[in-house]
Structure formats: C-alpha cells, structure tokens
Amino acid sequence: QIGTFYQPSLVGINFQWLDSLPKDEVISGWGEMLKHALLEGGSHLDDFRNIEPNLTSLSPFLLHSARIKERIVIRDEKEHGERTSLNLGHTIGHAIESLALDSSTGGDIKHGIAVAWGIVFALEASVSKLGFSESLAKELIDWIVGIIGNREEMWEVDEVWSKMCKDKKNINGNVRDVLLRAPGDVNWSITWEREEFTILWEQFRERYVLTGC
C-alpha cells in the first residue's frame, strides 16, 4: 500500500551485480555515499576522502555507508525529524535532475551526481548560513567537483526555484533544505527565502558552469 512503512527483513548487496555498472553509475552511487560520509563526519569522512571513486576502493565502505542510513531510519522511521537529514543535497539535486530531463538537448544527469551538486551548493550555503568552516568547505568542494567535473549547463534561478517549490519535503509551501554546521552536525529544518536563495544560486552558477545555458 502507498504511504505505509515496513522494515525490510533483509538488505543485500550483490557485488557481482555492482561490477556490471558503468562508470557514471558508480560515480552516482559515490554521490549517495558522500552524503552519508558528511552526515557521519569524523574518521569515516576522512577515510572516504582518501579513496578513489571506483568499485575496488568503494566496496569496503558500502556496508558502513548502508548502516549510517539504517541507524538514522531506525531512530526516526516516519521522518518526524532526523530522517530528514538523509535529504542532504537532494533539494537542489532533485531540481537539477528534473531540469536535465526537461532539457531540449535531451541530456540527463544521474541521481547521485545531481545529489553531489546539491551537496556542493549545500556546503557553500552552510558557510553563509550556519558558519561551516570556509576552508574545510573549499577543500570538500574542490574534492567533489574534481570527481564530478564542472557542468556545461546550470539553470537560471527561476527554473531551479520553480522545481524546488514542488519538492515533496516542503511544508506549508515553504522550500525546505538540509545544511551542515560541520560534518556530522546537521540542521534539517532550513527554510529558504527566495531573495537569499537567488543570491547564493547566482554565485554558485557563476563558479561551476563552463558555458551558460
């Protein structure tokens, strides 16, 4: 039934099937593991930053990454609070993913790569709004963008905001987001004002787009 919650009896990871994935799907999975690493912080994030985004390097981290999500879901099964933190990077990520699918060029972007771009934006916004360390944010952003590469198209703020306004996580029409005070220290109840978001998005777009849309 739609809208009901059931805990799985078993979660399996098939490494042979993972070996069949193309590189962009592996990078997409890396984007979700990146989210988990930032939510946990500490030595897990440090270790994750020191590996290459390929299956050989990622495989030892898969179970721990899954358990980060598992612990959060167990503590907040029906998303009354902490489980919302799993949406880190997804407000912008979903908008980018949707806009890429809508694009007249027919281009698309893998979900986890869109999420990684959402995390880049979240890190920049976290510096501005929550006092996240600017130097650490720059290190993390340089690392992330070094893996996913700059975009050839990054959409105008009106297009992005329109998609964000339709996000399922919004409450009473307010555009909601997840930001970080530091790795492992999450604020999952950010509400965006259009004017503030516009300023940050234009700065973000100017930095990471190769050519305008």
Side-chain angles (χ1 to χ4, degrees), residues 17-60:
W17 182 81
L18 291 176
D19 281 336
S20 72
L21 294 175
K23 182 179 179 180
D24 60 348
E25 292 288 2
V26 174
I27 298 296
S28 180
W30 172 89
E32 289 286 355
M33 294 175 74
L34 164 67
K35 175 191 74 178
H36 297 146
L38 285 166
L39 291 177
E40 173 145 314
S43 61
H44 176 67
L45 175 60
D46 293 339
D47 292 342
F48 190 73
R49 289 176 64 184
N50 288 322
I51 64 170
E52 295 296 319
N54 57 55
L55 278 177
T56 300
S57 299
L58 290 172
S59 291

mmCIF file of all heavy atoms in Angstrom, residues 17-60:
data_model
loop_
_atom_site.group_PDB
_atom_site.id
_atom_site.type_symbol
_atom_site.label_atom_id
_atom_site.label_comp_id
_atom_site.label_asym_id
_atom_site.label_seq_id
_atom_site.Cartn_x
_atom_site.Cartn_y
_atom_site.Cartn_z
ATOM 1 N N TRP A 17 26.842 -7.974 -9.209
ATOM 2 C CA TRP A 17 25.979 -7.079 -9.990
ATOM 3 C C TRP A 17 26.598 -5.685 -10.063
ATOM 4 O O TRP A 17 26.583 -5.043 -11.111
ATOM 5 C CB TRP A 17 24.594 -7.017 -9.362
ATOM 6 C CG TRP A 17 23.645 -6.141 -10.141
ATOM 7 C CD1 TRP A 17 22.953 -6.475 -11.263
ATOM 8 C CD2 TRP A 17 23.321 -4.773 -9.869
ATOM 9 N NE1 TRP A 17 22.213 -5.410 -11.703
ATOM 10 C CE2 TRP A 17 22.414 -4.344 -10.864
ATOM 11 C CE3 TRP A 17 23.703 -3.870 -8.879
ATOM 12 C CZ2 TRP A 17 21.886 -3.067 -10.895
ATOM 13 C CZ3 TRP A 17 23.170 -2.585 -8.909
ATOM 14 C CH2 TRP A 17 22.277 -2.195 -9.901
ATOM 15 N N LEU A 18 27.156 -5.213 -8.967
ATOM 16 C CA LEU A 18 27.793 -3.895 -8.976
ATOM 17 C C LEU A 18 28.921 -3.831 -9.996
ATOM 18 O O LEU A 18 29.155 -2.795 -10.624
ATOM 19 C CB LEU A 18 28.328 -3.552 -7.578
ATOM 20 C CG LEU A 18 27.281 -3.294 -6.492
ATOM 21 C CD1 LEU A 18 27.956 -3.071 -5.150
ATOM 22 C CD2 LEU A 18 26.402 -2.103 -6.850
ATOM 23 N N ASP A 19 29.616 -4.947 -10.197
ATOM 24 C CA ASP A 19 30.710 -4.990 -11.170
ATOM 25 C C ASP A 19 30.231 -4.748 -12.597
ATOM 26 O O ASP A 19 31.036 -4.429 -13.476
ATOM 27 C CB ASP A 19 31.428 -6.350 -11.114
ATOM 28 C CG ASP A 19 32.395 -6.439 -9.942
ATOM 29 O OD1 ASP A 19 32.858 -5.381 -9.474
ATOM 30 O OD2 ASP A 19 32.689 -7.563 -9.501
ATOM 31 N N SER A 20 28.924 -4.914 -12.822
ATOM 32 C CA SER A 20 28.387 -4.726 -14.179
ATOM 33 C C SER A 20 28.059 -3.263 -14.475
ATOM 34 O O SER A 20 27.709 -2.922 -15.608
ATOM 35 C CB SER A 20 27.119 -5.572 -14.356
ATOM 36 O OG SER A 20 26.033 -5.023 -13.608
ATOM 37 N N LEU A 21 28.154 -2.386 -13.466
ATOM 38 C CA LEU A 21 27.724 -0.997 -13.652
ATOM 39 C C LEU A 21 28.752 -0.181 -14.429
ATOM 40 O O LEU A 21 29.959 -0.316 -14.210
ATOM 41 C CB LEU A 21 27.494 -0.333 -12.289
ATOM 42 C CG LEU A 21 26.347 -0.888 -11.442
ATOM 43 C CD1 LEU A 21 26.329 -0.207 -10.080
ATOM 44 C CD2 LEU A 21 25.012 -0.704 -12.148
ATOM 45 N N PRO A 22 28.284 0.713 -15.307
ATOM 46 C CA PRO A 22 29.202 1.636 -15.976
ATOM 47 C C PRO A 22 29.722 2.687 -14.998
ATOM 48 O O PRO A 22 29.170 2.872 -13.905
ATOM 49 C CB PRO A 22 28.341 2.270 -17.066
ATOM 50 C CG PRO A 22 26.938 2.166 -16.551
ATOM 51 C CD PRO A 22 26.899 0.893 -15.748
ATOM 52 N N LYS A 23 30.758 3.412 -15.415
ATOM 53 C CA LYS A 23 31.437 4.344 -14.524
ATOM 54 C C LYS A 23 30.497 5.415 -13.974
ATOM 55 O O LYS A 23 30.574 5.765 -12.786
ATOM 56 C CB LYS A 23 32.608 5.005 -15.246
ATOM 57 C CG LYS A 23 33.396 5.969 -14.368
ATOM 58 C CD LYS A 23 34.570 6.587 -15.114
ATOM 59 C CE LYS A 23 35.326 7.572 -14.216
ATOM 60 N NZ LYS A 23 36.475 8.183 -14.928
ATOM 61 N N ASP A 24 29.607 5.961 -14.828
ATOM 62 C CA ASP A 24 28.751 7.046 -14.343
ATOM 63 C C ASP A 24 27.786 6.570 -13.264
ATOM 64 O O ASP A 24 27.422 7.324 -12.366
ATOM 65 C CB ASP A 24 28.006 7.746 -15.490
ATOM 66 C CG ASP A 24 27.103 6.816 -16.280
ATOM 67 O OD1 ASP A 24 27.189 5.578 -16.115
ATOM 68 O OD2 ASP A 24 26.307 7.325 -17.099
ATOM 69 N N GLU A 25 27.385 5.291 -13.297
ATOM 70 C CA GLU A 25 26.523 4.761 -12.244
ATOM 71 C C GLU A 25 27.307 4.568 -10.948
ATOM 72 O O GLU A 25 26.771 4.744 -9.856
ATOM 73 C CB GLU A 25 25.900 3.437 -12.685
ATOM 74 C CG GLU A 25 24.891 3.557 -13.812
ATOM 75 C CD GLU A 25 23.578 4.197 -13.383
ATOM 76 O OE1 GLU A 25 23.445 4.590 -12.206
ATOM 77 O OE2 GLU A 25 22.671 4.300 -14.234
ATOM 78 N N VAL A 26 28.575 4.203 -11.063
ATOM 79 C CA VAL A 26 29.417 4.075 -9.876
ATOM 80 C C VAL A 26 29.605 5.443 -9.219
ATOM 81 O O VAL A 26 29.505 5.584 -7.998
ATOM 82 C CB VAL A 26 30.779 3.442 -10.229
ATOM 83 C CG1 VAL A 26 31.710 3.437 -9.021
ATOM 84 C CG2 VAL A 26 30.581 2.015 -10.740
ATOM 85 N N ILE A 27 29.862 6.470 -10.040
ATOM 86 C CA ILE A 27 30.000 7.833 -9.507
ATOM 87 C C ILE A 27 28.684 8.279 -8.874
ATOM 88 O O ILE A 27 28.676 8.965 -7.842
ATOM 89 C CB ILE A 27 30.420 8.819 -10.607
ATOM 90 C CG1 ILE A 27 31.789 8.441 -11.183
ATOM 91 C CG2 ILE A 27 30.468 10.247 -10.066
ATOM 92 C CD1 ILE A 27 32.934 8.525 -10.214
ATOM 93 N N SER A 28 27.570 7.876 -9.457
ATOM 94 C CA SER A 28 26.267 8.204 -8.882
ATOM 95 C C SER A 28 26.129 7.593 -7.497
ATOM 96 O O SER A 28 25.685 8.253 -6.544
ATOM 97 C CB SER A 28 25.153 7.703 -9.808
ATOM 98 O OG SER A 28 23.875 7.996 -9.273
ATOM 99 N N GLY A 29 26.515 6.331 -7.360
ATOM 100 C CA GLY A 29 26.488 5.700 -6.038
ATOM 101 C C GLY A 29 27.433 6.377 -5.069
ATOM 102 O O GLY A 29 27.123 6.533 -3.873
ATOM 103 N N TRP A 30 28.595 6.796 -5.572
ATOM 104 C CA TRP A 30 29.558 7.539 -4.741
ATOM 105 C C TRP A 30 28.905 8.796 -4.176
ATOM 106 O O TRP A 30 29.150 9.177 -3.026
ATOM 107 C CB TRP A 30 30.785 7.902 -5.578
ATOM 108 C CG TRP A 30 31.764 8.809 -4.908
ATOM 109 C CD1 TRP A 30 32.819 8.443 -4.112
ATOM 110 C CD2 TRP A 30 31.805 10.244 -4.969
ATOM 111 N NE1 TRP A 30 33.509 9.548 -3.679
ATOM 112 C CE2 TRP A 30 32.899 10.667 -4.192
ATOM 113 C CE3 TRP A 30 31.021 11.202 -5.611
ATOM 114 C CZ2 TRP A 30 33.232 12.014 -4.030
ATOM 115 C CZ3 TRP A 30 31.332 12.534 -5.451
ATOM 116 C CH2 TRP A 30 32.431 12.935 -4.666
ATOM 117 N N GLY A 31 28.051 9.468 -4.978
ATOM 118 C CA GLY A 31 27.388 10.694 -4.522
ATOM 119 C C GLY A 31 26.509 10.450 -3.302
ATOM 120 O O GLY A 31 26.471 11.268 -2.372
ATOM 121 N N GLU A 32 25.804 9.325 -3.279
ATOM 122 C CA GLU A 32 24.983 8.998 -2.108
ATOM 123 C C GLU A 32 25.858 8.614 -0.912
ATOM 124 O O GLU A 32 25.554 8.962 0.232
ATOM 125 C CB GLU A 32 24.016 7.869 -2.441
ATOM 126 C CG GLU A 32 22.882 8.272 -3.371
ATOM 127 C CD GLU A 32 21.813 9.125 -2.679
ATOM 128 O OE1 GLU A 32 21.892 9.330 -1.449
ATOM 129 O OE2 GLU A 32 20.896 9.594 -3.379
ATOM 130 N N MET A 33 26.958 7.915 -1.165
ATOM 131 C CA MET A 33 27.884 7.568 -0.083
ATOM 132 C C MET A 33 28.560 8.822 0.481
ATOM 133 O O MET A 33 28.836 8.901 1.679
ATOM 134 C CB MET A 33 28.922 6.568 -0.588
ATOM 135 C CG MET A 33 28.323 5.221 -0.951
ATOM 136 S SD MET A 33 29.520 4.085 -1.694
ATOM 137 C CE MET A 33 30.497 3.631 -0.245
ATOM 138 N N LEU A 34 28.810 9.789 -0.388
ATOM 139 C CA LEU A 34 29.335 11.089 0.048
ATOM 140 C C LEU A 34 28.385 11.722 1.058
ATOM 141 O O LEU A 34 28.810 12.246 2.103
ATOM 142 C CB LEU A 34 29.508 12.001 -1.171
ATOM 143 C CG LEU A 34 29.683 13.496 -0.915
ATOM 144 C CD1 LEU A 34 30.999 13.775 -0.205
ATOM 145 C CD2 LEU A 34 29.589 14.269 -2.233
ATOM 146 N N LYS A 35 27.099 11.685 0.759
ATOM 147 C CA LYS A 35 26.103 12.230 1.684
ATOM 148 C C LYS A 35 26.209 11.564 3.051
ATOM 149 O O LYS A 35 26.250 12.234 4.085
ATOM 150 C CB LYS A 35 24.699 12.023 1.103
ATOM 151 C CG LYS A 35 23.568 12.434 2.030
ATOM 152 C CD LYS A 35 22.235 11.954 1.508
ATOM 153 C CE LYS A 35 22.056 10.461 1.704
ATOM 154 N NZ LYS A 35 20.732 9.991 1.236
ATOM 155 N N HIS A 36 26.266 10.250 3.062
ATOM 156 C CA HIS A 36 26.366 9.529 4.332
ATOM 157 C C HIS A 36 27.640 9.897 5.087
ATOM 158 O O HIS A 36 27.627 10.056 6.314
ATOM 159 C CB HIS A 36 26.333 8.017 4.079
ATOM 160 C CG HIS A 36 25.058 7.541 3.478
ATOM 161 N ND1 HIS A 36 24.983 6.497 2.575
ATOM 162 C CD2 HIS A 36 23.777 7.978 3.634
ATOM 163 C CE1 HIS A 36 23.722 6.313 2.214
ATOM 164 N NE2 HIS A 36 22.974 7.193 2.842
ATOM 165 N N ALA A 37 28.739 10.045 4.343
ATOM 166 C CA ALA A 37 30.014 10.390 4.983
ATOM 167 C C ALA A 37 29.947 11.760 5.641
ATOM 168 O O ALA A 37 30.477 11.966 6.738
ATOM 169 C CB ALA A 37 31.148 10.338 3.960
ATOM 170 N N LEU A 38 29.284 12.719 5.001
ATOM 171 C CA LEU A 38 29.156 14.051 5.575
ATOM 172 C C LEU A 38 28.202 14.054 6.770
ATOM 173 O O LEU A 38 28.395 14.811 7.724
ATOM 174 C CB LEU A 38 28.671 15.038 4.508
ATOM 175 C CG LEU A 38 29.721 15.460 3.491
ATOM 176 C CD1 LEU A 38 29.062 16.154 2.305
ATOM 177 C CD2 LEU A 38 30.769 16.369 4.125
ATOM 178 N N LEU A 39 27.182 13.223 6.725
ATOM 179 C CA LEU A 39 26.256 13.133 7.860
ATOM 180 C C LEU A 39 26.940 12.531 9.077
ATOM 181 O O LEU A 39 26.657 12.920 10.209
ATOM 182 C CB LEU A 39 25.029 12.293 7.481
ATOM 183 C CG LEU A 39 24.075 12.906 6.450
ATOM 184 C CD1 LEU A 39 22.953 11.930 6.135
ATOM 185 C CD2 LEU A 39 23.496 14.231 6.929
ATOM 186 N N GLU A 40 27.859 11.598 8.860
ATOM 187 C CA GLU A 40 28.561 10.983 9.990
ATOM 188 C C GLU A 40 29.782 11.798 10.398
ATOM 189 O O GLU A 40 30.066 11.960 11.584
ATOM 190 C CB GLU A 40 28.996 9.555 9.639
ATOM 191 C CG GLU A 40 29.867 8.931 10.709
ATOM 192 C CD GLU A 40 29.648 7.437 10.878
ATOM 193 O OE1 GLU A 40 28.481 7.011 10.922
ATOM 194 O OE2 GLU A 40 30.636 6.721 10.969
ATOM 195 N N GLY A 41 30.545 12.303 9.422
ATOM 196 C CA GLY A 41 31.750 13.059 9.736
ATOM 197 C C GLY A 41 32.836 12.189 10.333
ATOM 198 O O GLY A 41 32.871 10.977 10.136
ATOM 199 N N GLY A 42 33.741 12.828 11.098
ATOM 200 C CA GLY A 42 34.781 12.100 11.816
ATOM 201 C C GLY A 42 35.714 11.316 10.916
ATOM 202 O O GLY A 42 35.973 11.678 9.767
ATOM 203 N N SER A 43 36.207 10.192 11.451
ATOM 204 C CA SER A 43 37.198 9.398 10.733
ATOM 205 C C SER A 43 36.619 8.752 9.481
ATOM 206 O O SER A 43 37.348 8.513 8.507
ATOM 207 C CB SER A 43 37.770 8.320 11.660
ATOM 208 O OG SER A 43 36.750 7.445 12.109
ATOM 209 N N HIS A 44 35.302 8.484 9.490
ATOM 210 C CA HIS A 44 34.696 7.892 8.287
ATOM 211 C C HIS A 44 34.808 8.845 7.101
ATOM 212 O O HIS A 44 35.177 8.429 5.996
ATOM 213 C CB HIS A 44 33.234 7.531 8.541
ATOM 214 C CG HIS A 44 32.536 7.011 7.321
ATOM 215 N ND1 HIS A 44 32.868 5.810 6.737
ATOM 216 C CD2 HIS A 44 31.553 7.550 6.547
ATOM 217 C CE1 HIS A 44 32.109 5.618 5.658
ATOM 218 N NE2 HIS A 44 31.302 6.659 5.533
ATOM 219 N N LEU A 45 34.516 10.110 7.312
ATOM 220 C CA LEU A 45 34.656 11.094 6.240
ATOM 221 C C LEU A 45 36.122 11.222 5.825
ATOM 222 O O LEU A 45 36.430 11.283 4.622
ATOM 223 C CB LEU A 45 34.109 12.450 6.685
ATOM 224 C CG LEU A 45 34.301 13.611 5.704
ATOM 225 C CD1 LEU A 45 33.620 13.335 4.372
ATOM 226 C CD2 LEU A 45 33.782 14.917 6.298
ATOM 227 N N ASP A 46 37.021 11.266 6.787
ATOM 228 C CA ASP A 46 38.447 11.366 6.457
ATOM 229 C C ASP A 46 38.893 10.195 5.588
ATOM 230 O O ASP A 46 39.600 10.384 4.583
ATOM 231 C CB ASP A 46 39.284 11.391 7.741
ATOM 232 C CG ASP A 46 39.059 12.650 8.563
ATOM 233 O OD1 ASP A 46 38.601 13.655 7.985
ATOM 234 O OD2 ASP A 46 39.337 12.621 9.782
ATOM 235 N N ASP A 47 38.478 9.002 5.962
ATOM 236 C CA ASP A 47 38.855 7.814 5.185
ATOM 237 C C ASP A 47 38.212 7.837 3.798
ATOM 238 O O ASP A 47 38.857 7.485 2.797
ATOM 239 C CB ASP A 47 38.428 6.535 5.923
ATOM 240 C CG ASP A 47 39.214 6.305 7.203
ATOM 241 O OD1 ASP A 47 40.299 6.907 7.354
ATOM 242 O OD2 ASP A 47 38.731 5.537 8.061
ATOM 243 N N PHE A 48 36.953 8.252 3.738
ATOM 244 C CA PHE A 48 36.236 8.287 2.462
ATOM 245 C C PHE A 48 36.887 9.270 1.489
ATOM 246 O O PHE A 48 36.931 9.025 0.285
ATOM 247 C CB PHE A 48 34.769 8.651 2.709
ATOM 248 C CG PHE A 48 33.885 8.481 1.502
ATOM 249 C CD1 PHE A 48 33.529 7.217 1.068
ATOM 250 C CD2 PHE A 48 33.407 9.587 0.818
ATOM 251 C CE1 PHE A 48 32.705 7.052 -0.045
ATOM 252 C CE2 PHE A 48 32.591 9.438 -0.290
ATOM 253 C CZ PHE A 48 32.234 8.166 -0.724
ATOM 254 N N ARG A 49 37.394 10.367 2.015
ATOM 255 C CA ARG A 49 38.044 11.368 1.158
ATOM 256 C C ARG A 49 39.339 10.855 0.539
ATOM 257 O O ARG A 49 39.809 11.409 -0.460
ATOM 258 C CB ARG A 49 38.347 12.636 1.967
ATOM 259 C CG ARG A 49 37.121 13.447 2.331
ATOM 260 C CD ARG A 49 37.488 14.629 3.212
ATOM 261 N NE ARG A 49 38.340 15.582 2.527
ATOM 262 C CZ ARG A 49 38.870 16.657 3.096
ATOM 263 N NH1 ARG A 49 38.644 16.897 4.368
ATOM 264 N NH2 ARG A 49 39.625 17.484 2.399
ATOM 265 N N ASN A 50 39.898 9.814 1.106
ATOM 266 C CA ASN A 50 41.201 9.330 0.663
ATOM 267 C C ASN A 50 41.126 8.158 -0.301
ATOM 268 O O ASN A 50 42.150 7.537 -0.601
ATOM 269 C CB ASN A 50 42.055 8.935 1.876
ATOM 270 C CG ASN A 50 42.535 10.144 2.653
ATOM 271 O OD1 ASN A 50 42.880 11.172 2.077
ATOM 272 N ND2 ASN A 50 42.539 10.044 3.980
ATOM 273 N N ILE A 51 39.927 7.842 -0.793
ATOM 274 C CA ILE A 51 39.804 6.735 -1.737
ATOM 275 C C ILE A 51 39.374 7.241 -3.110
ATOM 276 O O ILE A 51 38.827 8.331 -3.249
ATOM 277 C CB ILE A 51 38.805 5.666 -1.243
ATOM 278 C CG1 ILE A 51 37.383 6.254 -1.155
ATOM 279 C CG2 ILE A 51 39.253 5.080 0.088
ATOM 280 C CD1 ILE A 51 36.312 5.213 -0.912
ATOM 281 N N GLU A 52 39.644 6.410 -4.123
ATOM 282 C CA GLU A 52 39.216 6.726 -5.476
ATOM 283 C C GLU A 52 37.762 6.292 -5.671
ATOM 284 O O GLU A 52 37.315 5.306 -5.057
ATOM 285 C CB GLU A 52 40.108 5.995 -6.491
ATOM 286 C CG GLU A 52 41.555 6.446 -6.480
ATOM 287 C CD GLU A 52 41.707 7.897 -6.898
ATOM 288 O OE1 GLU A 52 41.009 8.316 -7.848
ATOM 289 O OE2 GLU A 52 42.502 8.621 -6.277
ATOM 290 N N PRO A 53 37.001 6.997 -6.517
ATOM 291 C CA PRO A 53 35.595 6.649 -6.727
ATOM 292 C C PRO A 53 35.431 5.493 -7.709
ATOM 293 O O PRO A 53 34.847 5.632 -8.787
ATOM 294 C CB PRO A 53 35.000 7.952 -7.274
ATOM 295 C CG PRO A 53 36.141 8.579 -8.019
ATOM 296 C CD PRO A 53 37.380 8.232 -7.229
ATOM 297 N N ASN A 54 35.972 4.337 -7.356
ATOM 298 C CA ASN A 54 35.789 3.134 -8.161
ATOM 299 C C ASN A 54 35.365 1.998 -7.237
ATOM 300 O O ASN A 54 35.490 2.075 -6.009
ATOM 301 C CB ASN A 54 37.069 2.779 -8.929
ATOM 302 C CG ASN A 54 38.265 2.600 -8.004
ATOM 303 O OD1 ASN A 54 38.221 1.803 -7.068
ATOM 304 N ND2 ASN A 54 39.341 3.337 -8.259
ATOM 305 N N LEU A 55 34.854 0.927 -7.826
ATOM 306 C CA LEU A 55 34.281 -0.141 -7.007
ATOM 307 C C LEU A 55 35.308 -0.804 -6.102
ATOM 308 O O LEU A 55 34.997 -1.167 -4.963
ATOM 309 C CB LEU A 55 33.631 -1.190 -7.907
ATOM 310 C CG LEU A 55 32.210 -0.862 -8.390
ATOM 311 C CD1 LEU A 55 31.712 -1.948 -9.323
ATOM 312 C CD2 LEU A 55 31.256 -0.703 -7.212
ATOM 313 N N THR A 56 36.532 -0.937 -6.576
ATOM 314 C CA THR A 56 37.559 -1.567 -5.751
ATOM 315 C C THR A 56 37.756 -0.793 -4.450
ATOM 316 O O THR A 56 37.845 -1.369 -3.365
ATOM 317 C CB THR A 56 38.890 -1.648 -6.521
ATOM 318 O OG1 THR A 56 38.695 -2.423 -7.707
ATOM 319 C CG2 THR A 56 39.978 -2.281 -5.678
ATOM 320 N N SER A 57 37.809 0.535 -4.565
ATOM 321 C CA SER A 57 38.018 1.371 -3.378
ATOM 322 C C SER A 57 36.745 1.547 -2.556
ATOM 323 O O SER A 57 36.792 1.624 -1.320
ATOM 324 C CB SER A 57 38.551 2.742 -3.808
ATOM 325 O OG SER A 57 39.791 2.625 -4.465
ATOM 326 N N LEU A 58 35.604 1.616 -3.232
ATOM 327 C CA LEU A 58 34.343 1.878 -2.532
ATOM 328 C C LEU A 58 33.796 0.663 -1.801
ATOM 329 O O LEU A 58 33.110 0.798 -0.780
ATOM 330 C CB LEU A 58 33.292 2.378 -3.534
ATOM 331 C CG LEU A 58 33.490 3.774 -4.113
ATOM 332 C CD1 LEU A 58 32.475 4.029 -5.225
ATOM 333 C CD2 LEU A 58 33.372 4.847 -3.041
ATOM 334 N N SER A 59 34.083 -0.532 -2.305
ATOM 335 C CA SER A 59 33.463 -1.744 -1.765
ATOM 336 C C SER A 59 33.606 -1.889 -0.255
ATOM 337 O O SER A 59 32.632 -2.225 0.434
ATOM 338 C CB SER A 59 34.017 -2.981 -2.478
ATOM 339 O OG SER A 59 33.575 -3.004 -3.823
ATOM 340 N N PRO A 60 34.797 -1.635 0.330
ATOM 341 C CA PRO A 60 34.905 -1.773 1.787
ATOM 342 C C PRO A 60 34.046 -0.785 2.573
ATOM 343 O O PRO A 60 33.817 -0.970 3.767
ATOM 344 C CB PRO A 60 36.400 -1.524 2.054
ATOM 345 C CG PRO A 60 37.078 -1.781 0.757
ATOM 346 C CD PRO A 60 36.099 -1.339 -0.283
#
